[in-house]
Amino acid sequence: MANLEDRLRERLNVVFAGNETELARAVGTDQQNINNFISGRVKRSHLWREIGEALGIPEAEMKALVEERLGKRVGTEPRPNATIVPLQQGSGNALHKMMPVLGEAVGGADGEYIFNGQVLDWVPCIPSLMNVPGAYAVFLDGESMVPRYYPREIAYVHPTKPVRHGDHVVVQVRARNEDDPPRGFVKKFDGWKGSRLTLEQYNPPGKLDFDRDDVVSVHLIVQAGAY
């Protein structure tokens, strides 16, 4: 069996004519992250399933190749909980898409959330997310992002749109206890620095950083406001 790098490059040539930037766009990351993963500078990407799917590699094969590179089993890591198809409600000619509200705020200076997959509520989908699979919303709580966001507002999240420096994001991170659901944070995206993800908050001013392997997802907030 070919090793992970050989298999990825083989499929990259077939599907995207060898263009790493196009693969990065397809999975919602940047070209450098793709190159780091393919070349082995980063042994595992939290997007390994999405990369395999985009390249047409069966998940079982992709998992086996990643395990071979790491020398251990993978696949038990938490996955983003933004995978719920928007609900359609209405009667007669009036049909409105609804989107789930995910993430239970647990308070604290960091404004931490718990993403256990539970749907807290359903809210009308905004036009820009109407046809986006997996779009979701988060009720904002705490004051760590004031004056950008205030408690009792709602943030609307695009789970696949690329994120850039300065964007506001919902980040899901592995829990400290592996049996617990992912932790979440609403912050400003500072960027990837080596093997670390750096985020910024406004109140009090400060930064948080997480190891790349602990990051489950980084999703773009496209709109927020009172609800």
Side-chain angles (χ1 to χ4, degrees), residues 110 171-174 176 183-185 187 191-193 195-199 208-215:
D110 292 339
V171 175
Q172 291 189 43
V173 179
R174 292 173 184 270
R176 298 179 181 91
R183 299 181 292 150
F185 301 88
K187 301 298 175 190
W192 293 99
K193 300 180 180 179
S195 63
R196 307 289 291 180
L197 168 65
T198 303
L199 307 171
L208 293 79
D209 66 349
F210 300 98
D211 187 84
R212 182 186 295 271
D213 285 344
D214 289 333
V215 177

mmCIF file with all atom_site columns, all heavy atoms in Angstrom, residues 110 171-174 176 183-185 187 191-193 195-199 208-215:
data_model
loop_
_atom_site.group_PDB
_atom_site.id
_atom_site.type_symbol
_atom_site.label_atom_id
_atom_site.label_alt_id
_atom_site.label_comp_id
_atom_site.label_asym_id
_atom_site.label_entity_id
_atom_site.label_seq_id
_atom_site.pdbx_PDB_ins_code
_atom_site.Cartn_x
_atom_site.Cartn_y
_atom_site.Cartn_z
_atom_site.occupancy
_atom_site.B_iso_or_equiv
_atom_site.pdbx_formal_charge
_atom_site.auth_seq_id
_atom_site.auth_comp_id
_atom_site.auth_asym_id
_atom_site.auth_atom_id
_atom_site.pdbx_PDB_model_num
ATOM 1   N N   . ASP A 1 110 ? -13.214 33.424 29.494 1.00 0.00 ? 110 ASP A N   1
ATOM 2   C CA  . ASP A 1 110 ? -12.911 33.100 28.101 1.00 0.00 ? 110 ASP A CA  1
ATOM 3   C C   . ASP A 1 110 ? -14.161 32.967 27.241 1.00 0.00 ? 110 ASP A C   1
ATOM 4   O O   . ASP A 1 110 ? -14.061 32.820 26.034 1.00 0.00 ? 110 ASP A O   1
ATOM 5   C CB  . ASP A 1 110 ? -12.117 31.790 28.024 1.00 0.00 ? 110 ASP A CB  1
ATOM 6   C CG  . ASP A 1 110 ? -10.722 31.924 28.610 1.00 0.00 ? 110 ASP A CG  1
ATOM 7   O OD1 . ASP A 1 110 ? -10.236 33.060 28.694 1.00 0.00 ? 110 ASP A OD1 1
ATOM 8   O OD2 . ASP A 1 110 ? -10.144 30.897 28.994 1.00 0.00 ? 110 ASP A OD2 1
ATOM 9   N N   . VAL A 1 171 ? -14.654 28.578 17.211 1.00 0.00 ? 171 VAL A N   1
ATOM 10  C CA  . VAL A 1 171 ? -13.625 27.541 17.205 1.00 0.00 ? 171 VAL A CA  1
ATOM 11  C C   . VAL A 1 171 ? -14.048 26.425 18.153 1.00 0.00 ? 171 VAL A C   1
ATOM 12  O O   . VAL A 1 171 ? -14.468 26.680 19.285 1.00 0.00 ? 171 VAL A O   1
ATOM 13  C CB  . VAL A 1 171 ? -12.266 28.119 17.648 1.00 0.00 ? 171 VAL A CB  1
ATOM 14  C CG1 . VAL A 1 171 ? -11.224 27.015 17.750 1.00 0.00 ? 171 VAL A CG1 1
ATOM 15  C CG2 . VAL A 1 171 ? -11.805 29.182 16.666 1.00 0.00 ? 171 VAL A CG2 1
ATOM 16  N N   . GLN A 1 172 ? -13.969 25.194 17.681 1.00 0.00 ? 172 GLN A N   1
ATOM 17  C CA  . GLN A 1 172 ? -14.202 24.033 18.544 1.00 0.00 ? 172 GLN A CA  1
ATOM 18  C C   . GLN A 1 172 ? -12.869 23.353 18.825 1.00 0.00 ? 172 GLN A C   1
ATOM 19  O O   . GLN A 1 172 ? -12.061 23.139 17.907 1.00 0.00 ? 172 GLN A O   1
ATOM 20  C CB  . GLN A 1 172 ? -15.165 23.048 17.896 1.00 0.00 ? 172 GLN A CB  1
ATOM 21  C CG  . GLN A 1 172 ? -16.593 23.573 17.793 1.00 0.00 ? 172 GLN A CG  1
ATOM 22  C CD  . GLN A 1 172 ? -17.567 22.499 17.337 1.00 0.00 ? 172 GLN A CD  1
ATOM 23  O OE1 . GLN A 1 172 ? -17.511 21.366 17.790 1.00 0.00 ? 172 GLN A OE1 1
ATOM 24  N NE2 . GLN A 1 172 ? -18.471 22.869 16.446 1.00 0.00 ? 172 GLN A NE2 1
ATOM 25  N N   . VAL A 1 173 ? -12.640 23.038 20.099 1.00 0.00 ? 173 VAL A N   1
ATOM 26  C CA  . VAL A 1 173 ? -11.373 22.487 20.570 1.00 0.00 ? 173 VAL A CA  1
ATOM 27  C C   . VAL A 1 173 ? -11.659 21.236 21.388 1.00 0.00 ? 173 VAL A C   1
ATOM 28  O O   . VAL A 1 173 ? -12.676 21.151 22.085 1.00 0.00 ? 173 VAL A O   1
ATOM 29  C CB  . VAL A 1 173 ? -10.623 23.529 21.442 1.00 0.00 ? 173 VAL A CB  1
ATOM 30  C CG1 . VAL A 1 173 ? -9.309  22.965 21.955 1.00 0.00 ? 173 VAL A CG1 1
ATOM 31  C CG2 . VAL A 1 173 ? -10.385 24.810 20.655 1.00 0.00 ? 173 VAL A CG2 1
ATOM 32  N N   . ARG A 1 174 ? -10.773 20.261 21.293 1.00 0.00 ? 174 ARG A N   1
ATOM 33  C CA  . ARG A 1 174 ? -10.928 19.054 22.090 1.00 0.00 ? 174 ARG A CA  1
ATOM 34  C C   . ARG A 1 174 ? -11.099 19.401 23.565 1.00 0.00 ? 174 ARG A C   1
ATOM 35  O O   . ARG A 1 174 ? -10.447 20.308 24.084 1.00 0.00 ? 174 ARG A O   1
ATOM 36  C CB  . ARG A 1 174 ? -9.677  18.172 21.980 1.00 0.00 ? 174 ARG A CB  1
ATOM 37  C CG  . ARG A 1 174 ? -9.428  17.559 20.631 1.00 0.00 ? 174 ARG A CG  1
ATOM 38  C CD  . ARG A 1 174 ? -8.072  16.873 20.661 1.00 0.00 ? 174 ARG A CD  1
ATOM 39  N NE  . ARG A 1 174 ? -7.708  16.334 19.371 1.00 0.00 ? 174 ARG A NE  1
ATOM 40  C CZ  . ARG A 1 174 ? -8.015  15.113 18.968 1.00 0.00 ? 174 ARG A CZ  1
ATOM 41  N NH1 . ARG A 1 174 ? -8.700  14.317 19.766 1.00 0.00 ? 174 ARG A NH1 1
ATOM 42  N NH2 . ARG A 1 174 ? -7.645  14.686 17.781 1.00 0.00 ? 174 ARG A NH2 1
ATOM 43  N N   . ARG A 1 176 ? -10.695 18.792 27.621 1.00 0.00 ? 176 ARG A N   1
ATOM 44  C CA  . ARG A 1 176 ? -9.556  18.334 28.425 1.00 0.00 ? 176 ARG A CA  1
ATOM 45  C C   . ARG A 1 176 ? -9.713  16.857 28.762 1.00 0.00 ? 176 ARG A C   1
ATOM 46  O O   . ARG A 1 176 ? -8.740  16.125 28.841 1.00 0.00 ? 176 ARG A O   1
ATOM 47  C CB  . ARG A 1 176 ? -9.457  19.182 29.687 1.00 0.00 ? 176 ARG A CB  1
ATOM 48  C CG  . ARG A 1 176 ? -9.194  20.667 29.407 1.00 0.00 ? 176 ARG A CG  1
ATOM 49  C CD  . ARG A 1 176 ? -9.134  21.486 30.692 1.00 0.00 ? 176 ARG A CD  1
ATOM 50  N NE  . ARG A 1 176 ? -8.917  22.906 30.407 1.00 0.00 ? 176 ARG A NE  1
ATOM 51  C CZ  . ARG A 1 176 ? -9.887  23.777 30.228 1.00 0.00 ? 176 ARG A CZ  1
ATOM 52  N NH1 . ARG A 1 176 ? -11.155 23.376 30.285 1.00 0.00 ? 176 ARG A NH1 1
ATOM 53  N NH2 . ARG A 1 176 ? -9.614  25.044 29.982 1.00 0.00 ? 176 ARG A NH2 1
ATOM 54  N N   . ARG A 1 183 ? -14.996 21.817 23.403 1.00 0.00 ? 183 ARG A N   1
ATOM 55  C CA  . ARG A 1 183 ? -15.206 23.168 23.925 1.00 0.00 ? 183 ARG A CA  1
ATOM 56  C C   . ARG A 1 183 ? -15.244 24.146 22.751 1.00 0.00 ? 183 ARG A C   1
ATOM 57  O O   . ARG A 1 183 ? -14.648 23.904 21.711 1.00 0.00 ? 183 ARG A O   1
ATOM 58  C CB  . ARG A 1 183 ? -14.066 23.570 24.862 1.00 0.00 ? 183 ARG A CB  1
ATOM 59  C CG  . ARG A 1 183 ? -13.920 22.686 26.086 1.00 0.00 ? 183 ARG A CG  1
ATOM 60  C CD  . ARG A 1 183 ? -12.780 23.178 26.969 1.00 0.00 ? 183 ARG A CD  1
ATOM 61  N NE  . ARG A 1 183 ? -11.498 22.978 26.319 1.00 0.00 ? 183 ARG A NE  1
ATOM 62  C CZ  . ARG A 1 183 ? -10.437 23.758 26.506 1.00 0.00 ? 183 ARG A CZ  1
ATOM 63  N NH1 . ARG A 1 183 ? -10.521 24.821 27.282 1.00 0.00 ? 183 ARG A NH1 1
ATOM 64  N NH2 . ARG A 1 183 ? -9.297  23.502 25.896 1.00 0.00 ? 183 ARG A NH2 1
ATOM 65  N N   . GLY A 1 184 ? -15.969 25.246 22.930 1.00 0.00 ? 184 GLY A N   1
ATOM 66  C CA  . GLY A 1 184 ? -16.057 26.227 21.860 1.00 0.00 ? 184 GLY A CA  1
ATOM 67  C C   . GLY A 1 184 ? -15.733 27.623 22.339 1.00 0.00 ? 184 GLY A C   1
ATOM 68  O O   . GLY A 1 184 ? -15.893 27.944 23.527 1.00 0.00 ? 184 GLY A O   1
ATOM 69  N N   . PHE A 1 185 ? -15.264 28.454 21.416 1.00 0.00 ? 185 PHE A N   1
ATOM 70  C CA  . PHE A 1 185 ? -14.926 29.836 21.728 1.00 0.00 ? 185 PHE A CA  1
ATOM 71  C C   . PHE A 1 185 ? -15.327 30.723 20.553 1.00 0.00 ? 185 PHE A C   1
ATOM 72  O O   . PHE A 1 185 ? -15.110 30.357 19.396 1.00 0.00 ? 185 PHE A O   1
ATOM 73  C CB  . PHE A 1 185 ? -13.424 29.992 21.984 1.00 0.00 ? 185 PHE A CB  1
ATOM 74  C CG  . PHE A 1 185 ? -12.911 29.155 23.122 1.00 0.00 ? 185 PHE A CG  1
ATOM 75  C CD1 . PHE A 1 185 ? -12.481 27.854 22.898 1.00 0.00 ? 185 PHE A CD1 1
ATOM 76  C CD2 . PHE A 1 185 ? -12.890 29.651 24.411 1.00 0.00 ? 185 PHE A CD2 1
ATOM 77  C CE1 . PHE A 1 185 ? -12.016 27.068 23.940 1.00 0.00 ? 185 PHE A CE1 1
ATOM 78  C CE2 . PHE A 1 185 ? -12.430 28.875 25.462 1.00 0.00 ? 185 PHE A CE2 1
ATOM 79  C CZ  . PHE A 1 185 ? -11.994 27.580 25.228 1.00 0.00 ? 185 PHE A CZ  1
ATOM 80  N N   . LYS A 1 187 ? -14.224 34.044 19.014 1.00 0.00 ? 187 LYS A N   1
ATOM 81  C CA  . LYS A 1 187 ? -13.061 34.916 19.109 1.00 0.00 ? 187 LYS A CA  1
ATOM 82  C C   . LYS A 1 187 ? -12.725 35.521 17.747 1.00 0.00 ? 187 LYS A C   1
ATOM 83  O O   . LYS A 1 187 ? -13.356 35.225 16.732 1.00 0.00 ? 187 LYS A O   1
ATOM 84  C CB  . LYS A 1 187 ? -11.838 34.133 19.615 1.00 0.00 ? 187 LYS A CB  1
ATOM 85  C CG  . LYS A 1 187 ? -12.012 33.471 20.980 1.00 0.00 ? 187 LYS A CG  1
ATOM 86  C CD  . LYS A 1 187 ? -12.264 34.474 22.099 1.00 0.00 ? 187 LYS A CD  1
ATOM 87  C CE  . LYS A 1 187 ? -12.542 33.783 23.419 1.00 0.00 ? 187 LYS A CE  1
ATOM 88  N NZ  . LYS A 1 187 ? -13.025 34.722 24.452 1.00 0.00 ? 187 LYS A NZ  1
ATOM 89  N N   . GLY A 1 191 ? -4.524  33.720 13.627 1.00 0.00 ? 191 GLY A N   1
ATOM 90  C CA  . GLY A 1 191 ? -3.852  32.945 12.583 1.00 0.00 ? 191 GLY A CA  1
ATOM 91  C C   . GLY A 1 191 ? -3.201  31.689 13.117 1.00 0.00 ? 191 GLY A C   1
ATOM 92  O O   . GLY A 1 191 ? -3.142  31.441 14.320 1.00 0.00 ? 191 GLY A O   1
ATOM 93  N N   . TRP A 1 192 ? -2.697  30.873 12.178 1.00 0.00 ? 192 TRP A N   1
ATOM 94  C CA  . TRP A 1 192 ? -1.920  29.688 12.514 1.00 0.00 ? 192 TRP A CA  1
ATOM 95  C C   . TRP A 1 192 ? -0.456  30.100 12.581 1.00 0.00 ? 192 TRP A C   1
ATOM 96  O O   . TRP A 1 192 ? 0.077   30.689 11.647 1.00 0.00 ? 192 TRP A O   1
ATOM 97  C CB  . TRP A 1 192 ? -2.110  28.609 11.456 1.00 0.00 ? 192 TRP A CB  1
ATOM 98  C CG  . TRP A 1 192 ? -3.493  28.047 11.399 1.00 0.00 ? 192 TRP A CG  1
ATOM 99  C CD1 . TRP A 1 192 ? -4.488  28.393 10.527 1.00 0.00 ? 192 TRP A CD1 1
ATOM 100 C CD2 . TRP A 1 192 ? -4.046  27.036 12.255 1.00 0.00 ? 192 TRP A CD2 1
ATOM 101 N NE1 . TRP A 1 192 ? -5.617  27.674 10.783 1.00 0.00 ? 192 TRP A NE1 1
ATOM 102 C CE2 . TRP A 1 192 ? -5.380  26.813 11.833 1.00 0.00 ? 192 TRP A CE2 1
ATOM 103 C CE3 . TRP A 1 192 ? -3.544  26.291 13.327 1.00 0.00 ? 192 TRP A CE3 1
ATOM 104 C CZ2 . TRP A 1 192 ? -6.207  25.891 12.452 1.00 0.00 ? 192 TRP A CZ2 1
ATOM 105 C CZ3 . TRP A 1 192 ? -4.363  25.368 13.939 1.00 0.00 ? 192 TRP A CZ3 1
ATOM 106 C CH2 . TRP A 1 192 ? -5.680  25.173 13.504 1.00 0.00 ? 192 TRP A CH2 1
ATOM 107 N N   . LYS A 1 193 ? 0.181   29.779 13.685 1.00 0.00 ? 193 LYS A N   1
ATOM 108 C CA  . LYS A 1 193 ? 1.595   30.102 13.870 1.00 0.00 ? 193 LYS A CA  1
ATOM 109 C C   . LYS A 1 193 ? 2.323   28.814 14.225 1.00 0.00 ? 193 LYS A C   1
ATOM 110 O O   . LYS A 1 193 ? 2.313   28.382 15.377 1.00 0.00 ? 193 LYS A O   1
ATOM 111 C CB  . LYS A 1 193 ? 1.751   31.160 14.953 1.00 0.00 ? 193 LYS A CB  1
ATOM 112 C CG  . LYS A 1 193 ? 1.029   32.460 14.607 1.00 0.00 ? 193 LYS A CG  1
ATOM 113 C CD  . LYS A 1 193 ? 1.177   33.530 15.656 1.00 0.00 ? 193 LYS A CD  1
ATOM 114 C CE  . LYS A 1 193 ? 0.444   34.805 15.248 1.00 0.00 ? 193 LYS A CE  1
ATOM 115 N NZ  . LYS A 1 193 ? 0.544   35.879 16.247 1.00 0.00 ? 193 LYS A NZ  1
ATOM 116 N N   . SER A 1 195 ? 2.619   25.263 14.849 1.00 0.00 ? 195 SER A N   1
ATOM 117 C CA  . SER A 1 195 ? 1.661   24.230 15.251 1.00 0.00 ? 195 SER A CA  1
ATOM 118 C C   . SER A 1 195 ? 0.592   24.762 16.188 1.00 0.00 ? 195 SER A C   1
ATOM 119 O O   . SER A 1 195 ? -0.134  23.988 16.809 1.00 0.00 ? 195 SER A O   1
ATOM 120 C CB  . SER A 1 195 ? 2.403   23.072 15.942 1.00 0.00 ? 195 SER A CB  1
ATOM 121 O OG  . SER A 1 195 ? 3.025   23.524 17.138 1.00 0.00 ? 195 SER A OG  1
ATOM 122 N N   . ARG A 1 196 ? 0.452   26.088 16.274 1.00 0.00 ? 196 ARG A N   1
ATOM 123 C CA  . ARG A 1 196 ? -0.483  26.686 17.216 1.00 0.00 ? 196 ARG A CA  1
ATOM 124 C C   . ARG A 1 196 ? -1.501  27.564 16.493 1.00 0.00 ? 196 ARG A C   1
ATOM 125 O O   . ARG A 1 196 ? -1.190  28.242 15.507 1.00 0.00 ? 196 ARG A O   1
ATOM 126 C CB  . ARG A 1 196 ? 0.246   27.551 18.254 1.00 0.00 ? 196 ARG A CB  1
ATOM 127 C CG  . ARG A 1 196 ? 1.368   26.859 18.985 1.00 0.00 ? 196 ARG A CG  1
ATOM 128 C CD  . ARG A 1 196 ? 0.860   25.817 19.950 1.00 0.00 ? 196 ARG A CD  1
ATOM 129 N NE  . ARG A 1 196 ? 0.162   26.387 21.094 1.00 0.00 ? 196 ARG A NE  1
ATOM 130 C CZ  . ARG A 1 196 ? -0.376  25.663 22.070 1.00 0.00 ? 196 ARG A CZ  1
ATOM 131 N NH1 . ARG A 1 196 ? -0.298  24.344 22.034 1.00 0.00 ? 196 ARG A NH1 1
ATOM 132 N NH2 . ARG A 1 196 ? -1.002  26.238 23.072 1.00 0.00 ? 196 ARG A NH2 1
ATOM 133 N N   . LEU A 1 197 ? -2.735  27.534 16.985 1.00 0.00 ? 197 LEU A N   1
ATOM 134 C CA  . LEU A 1 197 ? -3.783  28.451 16.535 1.00 0.00 ? 197 LEU A CA  1
ATOM 135 C C   . LEU A 1 197 ? -3.885  29.566 17.559 1.00 0.00 ? 197 LEU A C   1
ATOM 136 O O   . LEU A 1 197 ? -4.031  29.309 18.761 1.00 0.00 ? 197 LEU A O   1
ATOM 137 C CB  . LEU A 1 197 ? -5.125  27.726 16.443 1.00 0.00 ? 197 LEU A CB  1
ATOM 138 C CG  . LEU A 1 197 ? -6.360  28.609 16.266 1.00 0.00 ? 197 LEU A CG  1
ATOM 139 C CD1 . LEU A 1 197 ? -6.322  29.335 14.925 1.00 0.00 ? 197 LEU A CD1 1
ATOM 140 C CD2 . LEU A 1 197 ? -7.640  27.796 16.394 1.00 0.00 ? 197 LEU A CD2 1
ATOM 141 N N   . THR A 1 198 ? -3.817  30.809 17.102 1.00 0.00 ? 198 THR A N   1
ATOM 142 C CA  . THR A 1 198 ? -3.900  31.958 17.997 1.00 0.00 ? 198 THR A CA  1
ATOM 143 C C   . THR A 1 198 ? -5.191  32.722 17.757 1.00 0.00 ? 198 THR A C   1
ATOM 144 O O   . THR A 1 198 ? -5.528  33.036 16.616 1.00 0.00 ? 198 THR A O   1
ATOM 145 C CB  . THR A 1 198 ? -2.700  32.903 17.811 1.00 0.00 ? 198 THR A CB  1
ATOM 146 O OG1 . THR A 1 198 ? -1.485  32.172 18.021 1.00 0.00 ? 198 THR A OG1 1
ATOM 147 C CG2 . THR A 1 198 ? -2.758  34.057 18.804 1.00 0.00 ? 198 THR A CG2 1
ATOM 148 N N   . LEU A 1 199 ? -5.904  33.012 18.847 1.00 0.00 ? 199 LEU A N   1
ATOM 149 C CA  . LEU A 1 199 ? -7.158  33.762 18.819 1.00 0.00 ? 199 LEU A CA  1
ATOM 150 C C   . LEU A 1 199 ? -7.027  34.993 19.691 1.00 0.00 ? 199 LEU A C   1
ATOM 151 O O   . LEU A 1 199 ? -6.189  35.039 20.594 1.00 0.00 ? 199 LEU A O   1
ATOM 152 C CB  . LEU A 1 199 ? -8.309  32.887 19.323 1.00 0.00 ? 199 LEU A CB  1
ATOM 153 C CG  . LEU A 1 199 ? -8.490  31.523 18.656 1.00 0.00 ? 199 LEU A CG  1
ATOM 154 C CD1 . LEU A 1 199 ? -9.526  30.694 19.409 1.00 0.00 ? 199 LEU A CD1 1
ATOM 155 C CD2 . LEU A 1 199 ? -8.904  31.686 17.201 1.00 0.00 ? 199 LEU A CD2 1
ATOM 156 N N   . LEU A 1 208 ? -5.599  33.740 23.171 1.00 0.00 ? 208 LEU A N   1
ATOM 157 C CA  . LEU A 1 208 ? -5.628  32.334 23.519 1.00 0.00 ? 208 LEU A CA  1
ATOM 158 C C   . LEU A 1 208 ? -4.927  31.582 22.394 1.00 0.00 ? 208 LEU A C   1
ATOM 159 O O   . LEU A 1 208 ? -4.991  31.995 21.230 1.00 0.00 ? 208 LEU A O   1
ATOM 160 C CB  . LEU A 1 208 ? -7.050  31.796 23.633 1.00 0.00 ? 208 LEU A CB  1
ATOM 161 C CG  . LEU A 1 208 ? -7.979  32.292 24.758 1.00 0.00 ? 208 LEU A CG  1
ATOM 162 C CD1 . LEU A 1 208 ? -8.553  33.654 24.413 1.00 0.00 ? 208 LEU A CD1 1
ATOM 163 C CD2 . LEU A 1 208 ? -9.089  31.281 24.970 1.00 0.00 ? 208 LEU A CD2 1
ATOM 164 N N   . ASP A 1 209 ? -4.271  30.491 22.730 1.00 0.00 ? 209 ASP A N   1
ATOM 165 C CA  . ASP A 1 209 ? -3.732  29.660 21.663 1.00 0.00 ? 209 ASP A CA  1
ATOM 166 C C   . ASP A 1 209 ? -3.917  28.191 22.001 1.00 0.00 ? 209 ASP A C   1
ATOM 167 O O   . ASP A 1 209 ? -4.006  27.806 23.163 1.00 0.00 ? 209 ASP A O   1
ATOM 168 C CB  . ASP A 1 209 ? -2.276  30.000 21.344 1.00 0.00 ? 209 ASP A CB  1
ATOM 169 C CG  . ASP A 1 209 ? -1.322  29.672 22.488 1.00 0.00 ? 209 ASP A CG  1
ATOM 170 O OD1 . ASP A 1 209 ? -1.786  29.381 23.599 1.00 0.00 ? 209 ASP A OD1 1
ATOM 171 O OD2 . ASP A 1 209 ? -0.102  29.706 22.250 1.00 0.00 ? 209 ASP A OD2 1
ATOM 172 N N   . PHE A 1 210 ? -4.024  27.390 20.937 1.00 0.00 ? 210 PHE A N   1
ATOM 173 C CA  . PHE A 1 210 ? -4.284  25.968 21.065 1.00 0.00 ? 210 PHE A CA  1
ATOM 174 C C   . PHE A 1 210 ? -3.391  25.204 20.103 1.00 0.00 ? 210 PHE A C   1
ATOM 175 O O   . PHE A 1 210 ? -3.066  25.689 19.013 1.00 0.00 ? 210 PHE A O   1
ATOM 176 C CB  . PHE A 1 210 ? -5.756  25.654 20.744 1.00 0.00 ? 210 PHE A CB  1
ATOM 177 C CG  . PHE A 1 210 ? -6.739  26.342 21.640 1.00 0.00 ? 210 PHE A CG  1
ATOM 178 C CD1 . PHE A 1 210 ? -7.367  27.516 21.237 1.00 0.00 ? 210 PHE A CD1 1
ATOM 179 C CD2 . PHE A 1 210 ? -7.030  25.847 22.901 1.00 0.00 ? 210 PHE A CD2 1
ATOM 180 C CE1 . PHE A 1 210 ? -8.276  28.164 22.060 1.00 0.00 ? 210 PHE A CE1 1
ATOM 181 C CE2 . PHE A 1 210 ? -7.940  26.479 23.725 1.00 0.00 ? 210 PHE A CE2 1
ATOM 182 C CZ  . PHE A 1 210 ? -8.558  27.638 23.310 1.00 0.00 ? 210 PHE A CZ  1
ATOM 183 N N   . ASP A 1 211 ? -3.020  24.006 20.513 1.00 0.00 ? 211 ASP A N   1
ATOM 184 C CA  . ASP A 1 211 ? -2.246  23.136 19.646 1.00 0.00 ? 211 ASP A CA  1
ATOM 185 C C   . ASP A 1 211 ? -3.093  22.713 18.444 1.00 0.00 ? 211 ASP A C   1
ATOM 186 O O   . ASP A 1 211 ? -4.287  22.435 18.576 1.00 0.00 ? 211 ASP A O   1
ATOM 187 C CB  . ASP A 1 211 ? -1.782  21.910 20.421 1.00 0.00 ? 211 ASP A CB  1
ATOM 188 C CG  . ASP A 1 211 ? -0.834  21.052 19.611 1.00 0.00 ? 211 ASP A CG  1
ATOM 189 O OD1 . ASP A 1 211 ? 0.364   21.356 19.594 1.00 0.00 ? 211 ASP A OD1 1
ATOM 190 O OD2 . ASP A 1 211 ? -1.305  20.074 18.982 1.00 0.00 ? 211 ASP A OD2 1
ATOM 191 N N   . ARG A 1 212 ? -2.472  22.681 17.283 1.00 0.00 ? 212 ARG A N   1
ATOM 192 C CA  . ARG A 1 212 ? -3.189  22.355 16.048 1.00 0.00 ? 212 ARG A CA  1
ATOM 193 C C   . ARG A 1 212 ? -3.944  21.031 16.155 1.00 0.00 ? 212 ARG A C   1
ATOM 194 O O   . ARG A 1 212 ? -5.076  20.901 15.688 1.00 0.00 ? 212 ARG A O   1
ATOM 195 C CB  . ARG A 1 212 ? -2.196  22.293 14.876 1.00 0.00 ? 212 ARG A CB  1
ATOM 196 C CG  . ARG A 1 212 ? -2.833  22.016 13.526 1.00 0.00 ? 212 ARG A CG  1
ATOM 197 C CD  . ARG A 1 212 ? -1.777  21.830 12.460 1.00 0.00 ? 212 ARG A CD  1
ATOM 198 N NE  . ARG A 1 212 ? -1.025  23.050 12.240 1.00 0.00 ? 212 ARG A NE  1
ATOM 199 C CZ  . ARG A 1 212 ? -1.379  23.997 11.360 1.00 0.00 ? 212 ARG A CZ  1
ATOM 200 N NH1 . ARG A 1 212 ? -2.471  23.849 10.647 1.00 0.00 ? 212 ARG A NH1 1
ATOM 201 N NH2 . ARG A 1 212 ? -0.637  25.079 11.210 1.00 0.00 ? 212 ARG A NH2 1
ATOM 202 N N   . ASP A 1 213 ? -3.337  20.036 16.787 1.00 0.00 ? 213 ASP A N   1
ATOM 203 C CA  . ASP A 1 213 ? -3.977  18.727 16.881 1.00 0.00 ? 213 ASP A CA  1
ATOM 204 C C   . ASP A 1 213 ? -5.205  18.731 17.784 1.00 0.00 ? 213 ASP A C   1
ATOM 205 O O   . ASP A 1 213 ? -6.008  17.798 17.744 1.00 0.00 ? 213 ASP A O   1
ATOM 206 C CB  . ASP A 1 213 ? -2.979  17.681 17.392 1.00 0.00 ? 213 ASP A CB  1
ATOM 207 C CG  . ASP A 1 213 ? -1.978  17.273 16.325 1.00 0.00 ? 213 ASP A CG  1
ATOM 208 O OD1 . ASP A 1 213 ? -2.234  17.553 15.144 1.00 0.00 ? 213 ASP A OD1 1
ATOM 209 O OD2 . ASP A 1 213 ? -0.938  16.682 16.676 1.00 0.00 ? 213 ASP A OD2 1
ATOM 210 N N   . ASP A 1 214 ? -5.354  19.765 18.617 1.00 0.00 ? 214 ASP A N   1
ATOM 211 C CA  . ASP A 1 214 ? -6.512  19.848 19.504 1.00 0.00 ? 214 ASP A CA  1
ATOM 212 C C   . ASP A 1 214 ? -7.674  20.611 18.870 1.00 0.00 ? 214 ASP A C   1
ATOM 213 O O   . ASP A 1 214 ? -8.775  20.639 19.420 1.00 0.00 ? 214 ASP A O   1
ATOM 214 C CB  . ASP A 1 214 ? -6.127  20.532 20.827 1.00 0.00 ? 214 ASP A CB  1
ATOM 215 C CG  . ASP A 1 214 ? -5.251  19.649 21.691 1.00 0.00 ? 214 ASP A CG  1
ATOM 216 O OD1 . ASP A 1 214 ? -5.349  18.418 21.572 1.00 0.00 ? 214 ASP A OD1 1
ATOM 217 O OD2 . ASP A 1 214 ? -4.460  20.196 22.494 1.00 0.00 ? 214 ASP A OD2 1
ATOM 218 N N   . VAL A 1 215 ? -7.433  21.248 17.735 1.00 0.00 ? 215 VAL A N   1
ATOM 219 C CA  . VAL A 1 215 ? -8.464  22.065 17.095 1.00 0.00 ? 215 VAL A CA  1
ATOM 220 C C   . VAL A 1 215 ? -9.352  21.180 16.233 1.00 0.00 ? 215 VAL A C   1
ATOM 221 O O   . VAL A 1 215 ? -8.892  20.512 15.311 1.00 0.00 ? 215 VAL A O   1
ATOM 222 C CB  . VAL A 1 215 ? -7.833  23.190 16.252 1.00 0.00 ? 215 VAL A CB  1
ATOM 223 C CG1 . VAL A 1 215 ? -8.921  23.984 15.534 1.00 0.00 ? 215 VAL A CG1 1
ATOM 224 C CG2 . VAL A 1 215 ? -6.989  24.107 17.131 1.00 0.00 ? 215 VAL A CG2 1
#
